[in-house]
């Protein structure tokens, strides 16, 4: 999941600092988010996906567990 976010950010020509500023977090927090060292809320995850133009159903190609709001959820590709 996190690799998909990183690829989408780079494809849009955005730096980690750019995304962090738009999310209202520090660049260090966003960097940690991309490598899985920073827990983020479901709302923040949705904000990141919306900003990068990613539909939640296509963040990952295969079923993948993720931790959101302290819960393990599955993110599946739709279609």
């Amino acid at each position: 999941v996190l690799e998909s976010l990183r690829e989408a950010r780079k494809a849009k020509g955005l730096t980690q600092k750019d995304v962090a500023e738009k999310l209202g977090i520090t660049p260090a927090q966003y960097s940690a988010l991309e490598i899985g060292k920073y827990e983020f809320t479901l709302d923040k995850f949705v904000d990141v996906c919306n900003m990068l133009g990613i539909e939640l159903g296509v963040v990952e190609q295969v079923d993948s567990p993720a931790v959101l709001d302290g819960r393990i959820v599955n993110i599946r590709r739709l279609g």
Side-chain angles (χ1 to χ4, degrees):
V1 171
L2 300 176
E3 183 64 31
S4 296
L5 294 177
R6 185 175 15 259
E7 289 173 7
R9 175 183 57 77
K10 288 181 177 182
K12 289 203 169 269
L14 297 171
T15 66
Q16 289 180 339
K17 182 180 178 185
D18 295 332
V19 177
E21 288 175 354
K22 291 179 182 181
L23 293 174
I25 60 176
T26 69
Q29 287 173 314
Y30 186 79
S31 176
L33 183 151
E34 279 195 356
I35 61 172
K37 302 263 183 194
Y38 177 75
E39 284 193 31
F40 49 99
T41 64
L42 182 56
D43 288 343
K44 195 66 71 181
F45 181 70
V46 170
D47 289 344
V48 171
C49 289
N50 287 338
M51 181 184 315
L52 299 177
I54 299 172
E55 292 182 41
L56 286 175
V58 294
V59 170
E60 187 64 39
Q61 296 293 326
V62 295
D63 288 353
S64 175
V67 177
L68 300 172
D69 285 339
R71 295 171 288 159
I72 296 178
V73 296
N74 282 321
I75 298 171
R76 294 187 184 97
R77 179 185 171 114
L78 300 177

